Amino acid sequence: MSSSVKAMIAKAWGGPETLVYEDLALPELGPRHVRIRVHAAGLNFPDTLMIAGKYQFKPSFPFAPGMECAGVVEAVGEKVRDLKPGDRVLATTGHGAFAEAVVTEDRNVFKIPDSMSYEVAAGFPITYGTTYHALVDRGRLKKGEVLLVHGAAGGVGLNAVELGRELGATVIGTVGSDEKAAIVKEYGAAHVINYSTESIKDRVKELTGGNGADVIYDAVGGDAFDQSLRCINWDGRLLVIGFASGRIPEAPANMALIKGCSIVGVFWGAFAAREPEKNRANFAALFSLFQHGKLKPHVSASFPLTQVPQAMQALLSRKTTGKVVITVP
Ligand SMILES: NC(=O)c1ccc[n+]([C@@H]2O[C@H](COP(=O)([O-])OP(=O)(O)OC[C@H]3O[C@@H](n4cnc5c(N)ncnc54)[C@H](OP(=O)(O)O)[C@@H]3O)[C@@H](O)[C@H]2O)c1
């Protein structure tokens, strides 16, 4: 049976101010579908790209943005085995999470530890999932290596600092303003560089005795990427996560040759769809770290569902740190 719920809806490509709070029809429940009553949803930079028509995937109108949420299972399709109504879960949804309820595939849904609140769980899967996959599967980060994280106070960035520390790396974080340095240090960075006033290349060389960083986690792109190629160690891995600066950089191939380094693409959503079992194992590892008190997800701001546009503006103004969460009454 289909039903409709209140949601924050995009009806045309545009900025946060173009979203409207209206009824949205939920799809029929397919055999592998799970319907979740949303308690909270996580905001991600790609949500702002999706409503502007600048994301890889363009849903048809009208649609609710929102790629991740936490809540309670309301109903499951006939082929769903491991989930039942009443389960506390988090989920990735592609889009649709900025709503009272959402329908997603069972492979995207994970039961959450009792000690994990809905607010924390809502902002957990995309940034931690991406970062674990990036550092462990793609970056092969080893104990004792130097990890350089750009945009280190942001959603994926702060997770990279924290997981890098847990994996035994020496972490150097970069930020765009001095106010963000404290949280990056608190989460485990040995050093913080302010890239609006300092040269990333010069400082990283100085901090690593001229060697450069072994693994670079780049969610910023633009100038940060260009400088990364000039301060990466021999056999380094430059992880291409995203382009929050707004510029997709181009890499001169001779730099990869001279440095003997690899430029490694990371697309967590595609990985999760192609390798669901490996993704599930990654989540088991992440939940275990959380339950042992090794991860402290940082939510710097929360907004009610009707204020998704304000939440997006706050994210885009670079004022927030860690995650921004949308709460649903
Ligand atoms: N590859 C994947 O699978 C994957 C998955 C999730 C996210 N991503 C990508 O990762 C990036 C970050 O996402 P997020 O959700 O962590 O975003 P976020 O919380 O907004 O963090 C982005 C960080 O980028 C920095 N930044 C530099 N220039 C910026 C600018 N012009 N506008 C906004 N921020 C700027 C900001 O730090 P300062 O102010 O300190 O500079 C900010 O903390 C996005 O490009 C996103 O698409 C990729």
Side-chain angles (χ1 to χ4, degrees), residues 149-154 173-184 192-198 200 220 224 244-245 317-321:
V149 179
H150 295 316
T174 68
V175 291
S177 60
D178 287 337
E179 301 82 72
K180 291 186 179 175
I183 185 100
V184 175
V192 181
I193 299 169
N194 180 343
Y195 46 46
S196 62
T197 55
E198 299 176 282
I200 295 173
V220 172
S245 67
S317 71
R318 298 165 73 172
K319 295 275 187 318
T320 60
T321 55

Side-chain angles (χ1 to χ4, degrees), residues 130-131 134-135 156 216-220 239-243 264-267:
T130 298
T131 306
L135 296 182
V156 292
I216 303 182
Y217 184 97
D218 182 18
V220 172
L239 303 173
V240 180
I241 309 293
F243 316 105
V264 185
V266 178
F267 186 0

Side-chain angles (χ1 to χ4, degrees), residues 8 24 26-27 33-44 46-47 50 55 57 59 63-72 89-110 121-127 268-269 272-273 279 283 328:
M8 206 35 108
L24 182 74
L26 289 179
H33 277 159
V34 179
R35 191 170 69 228
I36 298 165
R37 176 65 37 184
V38 178
H39 284 235
L43 179 64
N44 290 278
D47 294 315
M50 188 181 282
Y55 192 63
F57 173 65
F63 72 91
M67 300 175 165
E68 60 183 354
C69 70
V72 176
V89 294
L90 61 71
T92 54
T93 55
H95 59 88
F98 298 155
E100 291 171 332
V102 65
V103 171
T104 190
E105 296 257 336
D106 60 350
R107 66 181 159 84
N108 303 328
V109 185
F110 298 81
F124 195 89
I126 290 184
T127 57
W268 176 72
N279 184 46
F283 269 81
V328 183

Side-chain angles (χ1 to χ4, degrees), residues 7-181:
M8 206 35 108
I9 298 171
K11 292 178 161 178
W13 305 126
E17 72 288 349
T18 60
L19 297 175
V20 288
Y21 186 64
E22 283 183 9
D23 287 336
L24 182 74
L26 289 179
E28 299 278 348
L29 214 58
R32 299 224 70 109
H33 277 159
V34 179
R35 191 170 69 228
I36 298 165
R37 176 65 37 184
V38 178
H39 284 235
L43 179 64
N44 290 278
F45 192 89
D47 294 315
T48 68
L49 299 175
M50 188 181 282
I51 63 166
K54 294 179 182 165
Y55 192 63
Q56 302 87 308
F57 173 65
K58 295 180 179 58
S60 40
F61 298 117
F63 72 91
M67 300 175 165
E68 60 183 354
C69 70
V72 176
V73 173
E74 257 185 359
V76 298
E78 67 207 27
K79 291 201 167 150
V80 175
R81 294 286 167 267
D82 300 329
L83 295 161
K84 60 179 187 322
D87 283 345
R88 294 175 79 246
V89 294
L90 61 71
T92 54
T93 55
H95 59 88
F98 298 155
E100 291 171 332
V102 65
V103 171
T104 190
E105 296 257 336
D106 60 350
R107 66 181 159 84
N108 303 328
V109 185
F110 298 81
K111 285 184 209 163
I112 56 176
D114 292 342
S115 58
M116 191 180 262
S117 70
Y118 291 123
E119 203 184 39
V120 161
F124 195 89
I126 290 184
T127 57
Y128 277 110
T130 298
T131 306
Y132 191 93
H133 171 55
L135 296 182
V136 176
D137 302 329
R138 306 293 285 151
R140 297 174 284 107
L141 180 67
K142 294 188 281 294
K143 198 173 173 181
E145 288 192 317
V146 174
L147 169 68
L148 175 64
V149 179
H150 295 316
V156 292
L158 200 60
N159 288 175
V161 171
E162 193 181 29
L163 279 169
R165 178 204 70 205
E166 273 317 300
L167 292 165
T170 299
V171 182
I172 304 172
T174 68
V175 291
S177 60
D178 287 337
E179 301 82 72
K180 291 186 179 175

